[in-house]
Amino acid sequence: MSIENINISDSEMEIMVVLWNSKEPITSAEIGKAVEKRGWKKTTIATFLTRLVEKGVVSTEKKGKIYYYTPIIPVEEYRKEKTKSIISNFYHGSVKEFAVSLFENEKLSKEDLEELRAIFDN
């Protein structure tokens, strides 16, 4: 499945993170507990889940009266595609400009820089 044209809102992303962190399909009640700090009503969570199913990024399975949700797209695949999109749209396709932006904004720790150096050295 191609995910380059799929847009997941910030709120939907919170639901996706819960799903990605789950080792098995989970219910909307379990998702609700995981995002309890947001104060969302059950209907709000249900709306986000419906949208994610319609976008083709989450599957649902009914067992008895309960629906279980599972992410279809692996987090790594989504992350790669969105990173490519950011680099393409904001940095004119230049990974170098993207990296410079991270350095200039001090978003990389000393440990991050050491890890990157090790990766580049290999």
Side-chain angles (χ1 to χ4, degrees):
M1 170 192 316
S2 175
I3 60 172
E4 58 191 69
N5 294 324
I6 295 174
N7 292 313
I8 297 175
S9 72
D10 290 344
S11 297
E12 292 167 344
M13 184 57 66
E14 287 189 51
I15 303 291
M16 288 302 297
V17 169
V18 172
L19 291 168
W20 281 322
N21 289 332
S22 177
K23 303 295 181 217
E24 55 191 38
I26 60 174
T27 66
S28 61
E30 292 169 310
I31 293 166
K33 286 179 187 173
V35 296
E36 194 171 38
K37 67 183 182 307
R38 297 286 285 165
W40 290 333
K41 295 180 181 178
K42 291 177 185 180
T43 53
T44 301
I45 294 168
T47 298
F48 292 143
L49 287 166
T50 299
R51 288 181 192 163
L52 291 166
V53 169
E54 289 172 353
K55 291 177 182 186
V57 296
V58 171
S59 68
T60 183
E61 180 183 357
K62 187 174 182 180
K63 294 180 185 176
K65 294 182 179 183
I66 300 173
Y67 287 92
Y68 290 83
Y69 299 90
T70 307
I72 296 172
I73 297 172
V75 65
E76 298 84 10
E77 184 180 334
Y78 185 78
R79 188 180 295 142
K80 280 182 190 176
E81 189 57 45
K82 290 305 163 185
T83 301
K84 279 193 247 178
S85 175
I86 288 168
I87 291 169
S88 175
N89 292 326
F90 294 105
Y91 298 96
H92 313 289
S94 172
V95 174
K96 181 182 113 185
E97 284 185 36
F98 176 69
V100 167
S101 175
L102 291 174
F103 286 110
E104 287 176 348
N105 292 313
E106 300 179 32
K107 298 293 182 194
L108 295 175
S109 68
K110 191 173 187 172
E111 292 79 23
D112 291 336
L113 291 172
E114 289 171 6
E115 272 186 59
L116 285 172
R117 279 191 191 103
I119 290 169
F120 291 135
D121 288 344
N122 290 331

